[in-house]
Amino acid sequence: MKPRFLVVILAALSMLGALSIDAYLPALPTIAHGYAATLPAVQQTLTVYLFAFAFMTLFYGTLSDSFGRRPVILGYLLFYITSSLGAAWAPTLGWLLFFRTFQGLSAGAGSVVGRAIVGDLLSGAEAQRTMSYISLVFGLAPALAPVLGGWVLAGWGWRSIFYLIALFSFVLLLACLRWLPESLAAKNRHAFHFSVIVGHYLVVGSHVRFMLRSLSIALSFTGILLYVTSAPVYILDLLHLSVKDFGWLFVTFIAGMTVGSMASGHLSHRLRPQVIIRAGYGLMGFSVLASLIYTGFFTARIPWAVIPHFFFGFGVALATPAMTVLTLEMFPKLKGLPSSLQGFVFMVVFALISGVVAPLLFASAFRLAVGAAVGLGLSLLLWWLGSRGEREHAILSEAEQPLAEEVPHL
């Protein structure tokens, strides 16, 4: 398979998680009306999805380390299609919560196993560049999904959004059956032994630098996650726009992420990762400062309320590919499991922002800007703590090496 085509498939696999979030956000008020429920109650369809996503993300990397990347991808796609059709059919809010939970359980494999496939095939600057290109293609989903969801909602109702997601998943399943290669040779797979797997989770989960950096990467997205989960209130109530106008928020973010991903890939062979990361944080800092000043003194209106989001998207897409590669390369013998833990940390942060933080802040554009600034500050602090006084290298510590060497192969 051509490298560029592989990038497209891996990016499309990662898109499914975002599609399940962003495409149906414009429909939340309509779903609440249809089920005679409150908006906070319907918001829990996002929260249960995110927690299920986070939980299952813990296991996809390990499963792919043991059984191969391709079987896990194909199995999760079948499960995802089924749960998406169930969500479209759900006769009550309870059933919708049920199928959204199962949709979340199946949505995490694409991003986790995709990162592992990149780690199998590439390393260093080339891996960073490939991750940047995947982010570039992946970025189309959050930009197009809410806009498409708004138009589908207006034309055919909210259930059609889930039917559309199921159709996209089915086409992707056919593409994976035809073109997705297996990147992990049988001789390099780890036996699925419970004690060994638990030991590996303990090793990676207790690695302070890895966990600090993983938390930092997740928190660096706070300025996007807050606005994504607050989108119905932000667009409809604060900016006084319609369900067809979600593109004002999402396209601005993704335009910045597109430019940032292109810049990250271009610079990966020219600048040290640490330089790229600092530049990314600088752009994100400029964005949150501009939002704080504008929303502190003026009523939020288009286009000024969303212009800073471009620079935040630019910064996060510039910095996070390098941050991700540096973090995953701490464990070169365990590609899937660290990717799972990193994805788990991200989704737990996302779920907490969605279910706890965003409802406290989305009544005010200024509060959202403050939340984004706090998240960025925490991210910068944790990255500094995770990098302080240690040179960049991709090794297991001496205490961790024996455990990795004892892993039997299939």
Side-chain angles (χ1 to χ4, degrees), residues 241-253:
L241 301 174
S242 73
V243 294
K244 296 182 179 181
D245 293 320
F246 276 70
W248 277 106
L249 174 64
F250 289 90
V251 172
T252 309
F253 269 128

Side-chain angles (χ1 to χ4, degrees), residues 69-250:
R69 315 300 188 201
R70 180 180 162 88
V72 172
I73 289 290
L74 298 178
Y76 112 84
L77 281 172
L78 286 171
F79 198 70
Y80 184 84
I81 293 168
T82 302
S83 58
S84 297
L85 291 173
W89 163 82
T92 66
L93 180 58
W95 277 108
L96 182 60
L97 287 165
F98 175 82
F99 284 113
R100 285 289 287 172
T101 300
F102 278 90
Q103 198 177 35
L105 289 173
S106 59
S111 56
V112 170
V113 181
R115 287 195 298 268
I117 291 173
V118 173
D120 291 336
L121 303 175
L122 303 167
S123 63
E126 191 62 31
Q128 179 186 331
R129 185 170 67 173
T130 301
M131 290 290 290
S132 299
Y133 292 152
I134 290 175
S135 298
L136 175 62
V137 180
F138 163 77
L140 295 174
L144 298 178
V147 179
L148 181 61
W151 283 99
V152 171
L153 172 65
W156 296 282
W158 68 266
R159 296 180 189 275
S160 298
I161 297 173
F162 289 106
Y163 284 124
L164 184 64
I165 292 173
L167 177 61
F168 177 82
S169 307
F170 179 72
V171 173
L172 185 55
L173 173 64
L174 296 180
C176 289
L177 283 169
R178 176 64 178 83
W179 291 296
L180 184 68
E182 175 58 67
S183 63
L184 185 64
K187 65 179 181 180
N188 295 326
R189 298 175 191 175
H190 301 302
F192 195 77
H193 294 319
F194 181 76
S195 60
V196 173
I197 292 171
V198 171
H200 280 182
Y201 273 110
L202 291 175
V203 166
V204 179
S206 62
H207 194 290
V208 175
R209 291 180 62 226
F210 177 84
M211 295 306 295
L212 286 172
R213 289 185 172 195
S214 296
L215 275 170
S216 173
I217 293 170
L219 287 169
S220 70
F221 282 85
T222 301
I224 295 177
L225 302 181
L226 268 178
Y227 288 95
V228 166
T229 54
S230 304
V233 175
Y234 187 69
I235 294 294
L236 302 177
D237 297 338
L238 297 181
L239 297 182
H240 304 290
L241 301 174
S242 73
V243 294
K244 296 182 179 181
D245 293 320
F246 276 70
W248 277 106
L249 174 64
F250 289 90

Side-chain angles (χ1 to χ4, degrees), residues 345-366:
V345 169
F346 181 89
M347 293 310 301
V348 167
V349 169
F350 195 171
L352 290 174
I353 288 174
S354 167
V356 179
V357 180
L360 298 176
L361 303 179
F362 61 33
S364 162
F366 179 71

